[in-house]
Amino acid sequence: MFGVHRSGTSKAAEPTDIGPSRRNVLGTTILGAAGLAIGARTLGASSAHAATANAAGARAAAGLRVAADDVTHVRTWMAWPTKSTIWGRQLSGIQNDIALIARTIARFEPVIMCAPDTSSASAARGKCGPAVTVISSIPVDDLWARDTAPVFRTDGSGGRDAVGLGFNGWGNKQTHAKDALVASRIAAYDRLAFTRAGFVGEGGAIETDGDGTVMATESSLVNANRNPGKSRAQVEQAVLAAYGATKMLWVPGIKGQDITDDHIDATSRFIRPGVVMVQVPPADRTDIWAQDARKQLQILSAATDARGRRLQVIRIDGPDTPRSNNPDFVDSYVNFHVCNGGVVMSQFGDRTKDAAARQVVAAAYPGREVVQLDTDRVGAGGGGIHCTTMQEPVA
């Protein structure tokens, strides 16, 4: 994806000896108080998909929709990494990066950090400081809150609910039994109605403008590892119902080259209705990720949104020389997190491109403070700042 180098099963690849696969053990898991069954096999049942899609459609008809990232937030949700089986000797360093992101966001809005147990919660408090609320009542496996937390819907009149996208370890590539329950548990924490979407995916796979239009890579969602037997039209219908949208823009993406099957939030982002930002690789890049980024730019430059507006595309240039030569490294400027009064984004040690990228983002979000962070260990794990966060909007 653009200037991104991803391969294999990044998002920090787990070894194969840490336990049974999710595809074997989660078929009948129950979501506690929510009383909803999830899992790869359950999600494959057509009756379950139809029921949840109908429920999502009913709520969408009532005016509930997933808001754009730039609305006012109640808080940001994050997750604390603790597994040396995933991060190895990088665990302490990745915790430092997550703590840095959390402390920075907490300058602008409340942050809740979910830790897997009381001991790790105590350690997280020590690194995050008093501005970040750390809880152990919603245990997690890893740090990718964008993909495990629910997406929140609002109706603009005080109504809210939460929708779970059926996280299954990015197509059963990793074992994430705790993370599979995070969406419903956050909804219970917030005392919000919880709905299971009629498709399987992750928050990073779908971008929304909050005004009727969503966009995604086909490679991630129209994929047998998430939605077996479903056509693109069926997946699209389920996404639109869950997000309360009316038009979906598809870009092809790339299957099987990174653990996400190419999430769109590392390349293309909605800035506001009618405006998208696309990260473009250096001219000398010709690999599949560079080709993918240029294809996204081409498609979105010719696209119209749900209201018939021709999309305005803001180009942002990817770095020429990021600090890391890790083949899985994600050098995404656009994988930023928008928060109340600010934007938190990465920098990669390419002074010229870092400064230029900051200017582009600042111009796109006038009146917000733009903060750049060195989060290279998150990048080496296969993601970025946006991947580590999930915003909860006000009603």
Side-chain angles (χ1 to χ4, degrees):
M1 44 200 83
F2 55 83
V4 167
H5 308 279
R6 280 187 174 181
S7 63
T9 56
S10 174
K11 289 280 190 191
E14 282 187 288
T16 58
D17 60 350
I18 69 167
S21 168
R22 265 175 45 86
R23 71 186 71 195
N24 295 324
V25 300
L26 281 187
T28 57
T29 298
I30 300 298
L31 292 185
L36 298 173
I38 68 169
R41 300 181 188 212
T42 302
L43 297 177
S46 59
S47 60
H49 277 297
T52 52
N54 288 339
R59 291 188 181 276
L64 285 162
R65 62 174 54 180
V66 179
D69 287 14
D70 66 343
V71 301
T72 303
H73 301 165
V74 176
R75 61 179 64 92
T76 289
W77 289 89
M78 296 185 67
W80 187 250
T82 60
K83 288 190 174 181
S84 59
T85 49
I86 293 176
W87 293 99
R89 289 177 293 180
Q90 292 297 314
L91 179 59
S92 178
I94 197 69
Q95 290 176 340
N96 289 340
D97 278 6
I98 294 302
L100 174 62
I101 294 169
R103 291 195 306 270
T104 304
I105 296 171
R107 290 173 44 197
F108 301 97
E109 65 187 56
V111 176
I112 295 183
M113 181 75 68
C114 299
D117 51 54
T118 56
S119 176
S120 58
S122 178
R125 291 185 191 102
K127 291 203 174 192
C128 292
V132 176
T133 300
V134 181
I135 62 173
S136 57
S137 56
I138 303 176
V140 296
D141 292 301
D142 206 2
L143 61 86
W144 308 108
R146 179 63 48 178
D147 295 345
T148 61
V151 292
F152 296 90
R153 300 191 299 195
T154 66
D155 64 6
S157 301
R160 296 196 303 159
D161 74 352
V163 180
L165 305 186
F167 179 71
N168 71 344
W170 305 284
N172 295 305
K173 298 184 184 81
Q174 289 187 6
T175 303
H176 285 258
K178 294 174 183 174
D179 282 344
L181 305 178
V182 165
S184 65
R185 286 172 170 165
I186 287 178
Y189 181 98
D190 276 343
R191 298 184 180 181
L192 294 176
F194 179 75
T195 302
R196 250 289 293 127
F199 69 98
V200 175
E202 303 88 37
I206 302 164
E207 277 284 304
T208 181
D209 70 350
D211 194 39
T213 310
V214 293
M215 62 180 177
T217 48
E218 185 173 344
S219 55
S220 187
L221 296 180
V222 189
N223 194 317
N225 64 23
R226 292 171 175 84
N227 296 293
K230 281 187 172 290
S231 67
R232 190 176 91 165
Q234 289 172 317
V235 173
E236 177 174 316
Q237 182 179 22
V239 172
L240 293 176
Y243 276 68
T246 57
K247 182 170 184 176
M248 186 152 190
L249 304 176
W250 291 99
V251 295
I254 304 168
K255 283 185 180 180
Q257 294 299 306
D258 78 310
I259 198 169
T260 73
D261 294 298
D262 194 4
H263 275 179
I264 198 163
D265 71 341
T267 310
S268 300
R269 301 285 304 278
F270 274 114
I271 302 302
R272 54 187 172 272
V275 182
V276 296
M277 183 178 290
V278 180
Q279 183 161 318
V280 181
D284 60 354
R285 285 277 308 282
T286 59
D287 56 79
I288 58 173
W289 299 113
Q291 294 173 44
D292 175 51
R294 294 183 184 113
K295 187 67 174 178
Q296 291 192 34
L297 177 67
Q298 176 187 10
I299 291 171
L300 295 175
S301 295
T304 57
D305 67 9
R307 297 186 181 273
R309 293 170 293 217
R310 179 75 171 264
L311 291 182
Q312 174 190 343
V313 178
I314 301 171
R315 292 179 51 141
I316 186 168
D317 291 329
D320 290 319
T321 54
R323 281 178 292 261
S324 177
N325 59 5
N326 183 327
D328 296 334
F329 190 76
V330 177
D331 54 354
S332 173
Y333 290 125
V334 301
N335 197 264
F336 49 72
H337 180 60
V338 182
C339 43
N340 296 341
V343 181
V344 183
M345 64 181 294
S346 293
Q347 52 93 349
F348 300 103
D350 183 334
R351 291 187 178 182
T352 301
K353 288 292 184 71
D354 287 348
R358 186 185 184 283
Q359 289 180 349
V360 171
V361 172
Y365 291 100
R368 296 179 189 258
E369 180 184 351
V370 179
V371 182
Q372 284 187 300
L373 304 177
D374 173 359
T375 57
D376 280 4
R377 285 165 292 216
V378 175
I385 291 171
H386 190 250
C387 299
T388 70
T389 61
M390 177 58 80
Q391 71 279 355
E392 180 182 342
V394 299

